[in-house]
Amino acid sequence: MTKTVSPEKGSLKTLARELNLSITTVSRALGGYSDVASATRERVVEAAARRHYVPNSAAKMLVTGRSGYIGLLLPLMNEPFSDPFLGDFIAGLGESLAARQHDLVINAVAPSQTEMQVLRRTVESGQVDGIVLTRIGENDERVEFLRSRRIPFVTHGRTLTSKESDNWIDTDGEQAFFAAAELLLSLGHQRIALMSIAEQMTFRHVRERGVSRALQGATNIDDVSLTLHYTQRFDQDQCRRLVRELLTQPQRPTAILALTDDIALIVLNEANAMGLSVPDDLSIIGFGNIPQAAVVPPGLSTFDQSTRQTAALIGHRIVDSIEGQLNIQQQLVQPFFVARGTHGPAPHKGCPA
Amino acid sequence: MTKTVSPEKGSLKTLARELNLSITTVSRALGGYSDVASATRERVVEAAARRHYVPNSAAKMLVTGRSGYIGLLLPLMNEPFSDPFLGDFIAGLGESLAARQHDLVINAVAPSQTEMQVLRRTVESGQVDGIVLTRIGENDERVEFLRSRRIPFVTHGRTLTSKESDNWIDTDGEQAFFAAAELLLSLGHQRIALMSIAEQMTFRHVRERGVSRALQGATNIDDVSLTLHYTQRFDQDQCRRLVRELLTQPQRPTAILALTDDIALIVLNEANAMGLSVPDDLSIIGFGNIPQAAVVPPGLSTFDQSTRQTAALIGHRIVDSIEGQLNIQQQLVQPFFVARGTHGPAPHKGCPA
DNA sequence: CTGAAAGCGCTTACAG
DNA sequence: CTGAAAGCGCTTACAG
């Protein structure tokens, strides 16, 4: 009495009826369990493939407690600005998760809500098996919240007080800025400025430390000066003003390290506007290697942070964490220097050619 | 006999027990139904808020048949390349969906699978309530598949054979390239080349049509020539060779329209390498307004396609479609011209200054 | 206005 | 090796 089933809903029930088997058996056959007669299994697998049967994800979630989703709390930026790394980050994360049979959920924050509300809802609703967080602050309440929950999470970046048990992957900004400062010292620069940001972000702290370390290790430490300057990250006007002030000083720096490429671009632009020649009068080194860096003359020297690969590492890490196969908890990814045209030897002082 | 409940799982059951109410009533109170005593409702709402109760999403999905998810089939690009618009697209889509109480699921394609397999699984598993598709081909099997299913979908772009019932939002590339060609004609250009792509994408077709239309409407139509050239979209070397050939011709074009900014950048670069001055010897107009356009000298004239806003429109559209409040089905977004330095009057022929 | 029951589509012990 | 039953956590008719 095999009825011809109309091609309605592709549920287990339909499939079981078509095959004259119980739902139980069909489910087991599809799940790859060993205790199913191979003849039965083949029939089931064949029928499932033919009908493009895919288990209902909600039902599966409900019973297994696993959603197969990883949430990314989306760090939104207000309209005129956009995150130059977001596309690569999501591409890297998405493809690594797909390779591990997981999907990525983007949890954006609507105007009416806060990031914490979104995070809370995402976690409490059991929507996701794990969470990825970016843009980590020196003290980050999101991290604290996640620590207090059972849910696995990986952060891109770390807090200043980050714990042994925290699971993070970060770009080694300290090493990069250490290297950049050493490079400038070796090129004879003695007045170096670091354009940093006012926001309480860990990466700022870490990068500043790299520069300080390099300066402290300088052989001619008494002849070398470092000044730090802080601008609101997304206030270009303020940054511009700061740079202009800095470059108008009688004893202006011969090299500026910029915390990000965005800042470096502003420095370069202002320097040009003031008639300074880069790199002859002023060296500039940025960080990030945004697309503009390669085409702006004379080519912005900066560090590439391999966003896509780093995001892929994060994807694998979070799945490892969910599956309990975690070895390492913390990992620094080395950025690499992209030497282009904005850095060079310090100008000779007092004896202009 | 109100027991003190341990702060274990935040399920409806726990909440109901704490309040000495039935699960049914608690659910109804939270759902905002009218037939619940207001005193009861207040108690329930208060307790739920206090305990940060969030309904289990899988259970909700299973019973309502709605997931609250919108899927974006991620158009992955192989490693050296990356989509310059992806970040903005996802930001715009994500935030508009969040405003409408939906989340975005990124369905990436793992190396071992095809886009169609991913799409099929996503749709058949009931994972999402709607789908967003980008990079639409002239004939697109993904679109055909979705048409054959009940599921709502919106495409960014359209097929060449797109139907009345299809739901798409596209940038008006025809209008933009029409305007660009008219501009070049008005500047006296008579030999114009269009660098297009070899792939069967609708946007290519549409943009070419805009140029043709403008040329056909030229008053001095007999003096004007248009040549079309095709390069593999992601083969920069091929593109470079093509441009070089084109510009070495005795009767080389005085203006090149590039289908995308990526191509425009290559054209600009090759022109510079050959000692041609842009825009004096050659005008170039691109499309897309990628970040490089603003900083590459002398500033790439191009069209901005407002990716983020367009993606936001798509977000609202797909939710409208799910909620059945759809008015319009198709919509063209007007890109706007960003006049920078790469276009200018045609060089005088035969009488060099 | 409130509660007990049924059921969404699966998976996982538990019997046979 | 296969099937009937229970249950994941909700919502929605159906009674009272």
Side-chain angles (χ1 to χ4, degrees), chain A residues 122-198:
Chain A
T122 303
V123 171
E124 309 285 7
S125 68
Q127 214 176 87
V128 299
D129 301 336
I131 293 268
V132 173
L133 238 44
T134 63
R135 298 219 199 144
I136 308 302
E138 300 181 355
N139 294 294
D140 201 305
E141 59 172 340
R142 303 170 306 166
V143 172
E144 272 163 44
F145 170 74
L146 289 175
R147 274 191 201 129
S148 76
R149 291 292 183 274
R150 297 275 164 184
I151 193 163
F153 68 99
V154 176
T155 59
H156 182 211
R158 54 199 140 138
T159 62
L160 221 43
T161 58
S162 105
K163 304 192 172 173
E164 271 302 307
S165 58
D166 282 352
N167 208 339
W168 56 255
I169 294 187
D170 200 358
T171 311
D172 195 348
E174 174 164 357
Q175 185 51 36
F177 276 74
F178 177 81
E182 289 238 296
L183 173 60
L184 292 173
L185 289 171
S186 77
L187 287 166
H189 292 272
Q190 299 190 341
R191 288 193 306 280
I192 299 176
L194 173 57
M195 287 293 305
S196 187
I197 57 168

Side-chain angles (χ1 to χ4, degrees), chain B residues 9 12 27 33 53 59 63:
Chain B
K9 278 198 358 203
L12 255 197
S27 171
Y33 284 80
Y53 169 74
V63 72

Side-chain angles (χ1 to χ4, degrees), chain A residues 26-291:
Chain A
V26 176
S27 171
R28 260 191 298 241
L30 258 23
Y33 283 79
S34 50
D35 51 353
V36 177
S38 56
T40 311
R41 159 169 299 112
E42 277 162 31
R43 279 180 63 217
V44 172
V45 167
E46 185 277 327
R50 180 163 40 76
R51 303 180 64 108
H52 295 298
Y53 169 73
V54 182
N56 177 289
S57 70
K60 202 168 177 175
M61 271 183 225
L62 188 56
V63 72
T64 61
R66 286 274 186 88
S67 68
Y69 286 128
I70 304 298
L72 171 68
L73 195 61
L74 191 65
L76 272 198
M77 305 178 74
N78 288 330
E79 194 52 88
F81 301 98
S82 67
D83 183 340
F85 306 110
L86 183 60
D88 277 343
F89 191 83
I90 287 178
L93 195 54
E95 59 193 345
S96 62
L97 290 178
R100 301 288 294 271
Q101 263 88 264
H102 282 253
D103 283 307
L104 178 62
V105 174
I106 303 292
N107 295 112
V109 181
S112 61
Q113 43 188 8
T114 68
E115 247 184 283
M116 273 306 293
Q117 286 174 322
V118 173
L119 185 59
R120 192 156 244 145
R121 176 182 65 83
T122 303
V123 171
E124 309 285 7
S125 68
Q127 214 176 87
V128 299
D129 301 336
I131 293 268
V132 173
L133 238 44
T134 63
R135 298 219 199 144
I136 308 302
E138 300 181 355
N139 294 294
D140 201 305
E141 59 172 340
R142 303 170 306 166
V143 172
E144 272 163 44
F145 170 74
L146 289 175
R147 274 191 201 129
S148 76
R149 291 292 183 274
R150 297 275 164 184
I151 193 163
F153 68 99
V154 176
T155 59
H156 182 211
R158 54 199 140 138
T159 62
L160 221 43
T161 58
S162 105
K163 304 192 172 173
E164 271 302 307
S165 58
D166 282 352
N167 208 339
W168 56 255
I169 294 187
D170 200 358
T171 311
D172 195 348
E174 174 164 357
Q175 185 51 36
F177 276 74
F178 177 81
E182 289 238 296
L183 173 60
L184 292 173
L185 289 171
S186 77
L187 287 166
H189 292 272
Q190 299 190 341
R191 288 193 306 280
I192 299 176
L194 173 57
M195 287 293 305
S196 187
I197 57 168
E199 285 80 358
Q200 310 273 308
M201 306 293 286
T202 307
F203 75 85
R204 167 193 84 169
H205 194 88
V206 161
R207 294 178 193 178
E208 289 172 6
R209 194 163 60 203
V211 177
S212 303
R213 250 186 44 219
L215 278 264
Q216 278 155 24
T219 50
N220 55 342
I221 185 163
D222 293 336
D223 304 327
V224 173
S225 78
L226 169 69
T227 55
L228 267 77
H229 311 267
Y230 296 93
T231 175
Q232 298 293 332
R233 193 167 179 193
F234 301 115
D235 185 340
Q236 301 205 353
D237 285 339
Q238 187 195 20
C239 183
R240 235 181 293 269
R241 275 196 308 276
L242 268 173
V243 171
R244 199 164 278 259
E245 266 173 41
L246 186 60
L247 294 178
T248 340
Q249 287 172 5
Q251 285 283 75
R252 61 173 163 74
T254 62
I256 297 185
L257 284 165
L259 204 71
T260 66
D261 279 356
D262 281 328
I263 295 176
L265 248 30
I266 293 177
V267 174
L268 179 55
N269 200 50
E270 287 305 305
N272 286 335
M274 293 171 70
L276 294 178
S277 162
V278 175
D280 293 341
D281 299 325
L282 179 72
S283 282
I284 304 172
I285 296 180
F287 189 93
N289 200 21
I290 60 178

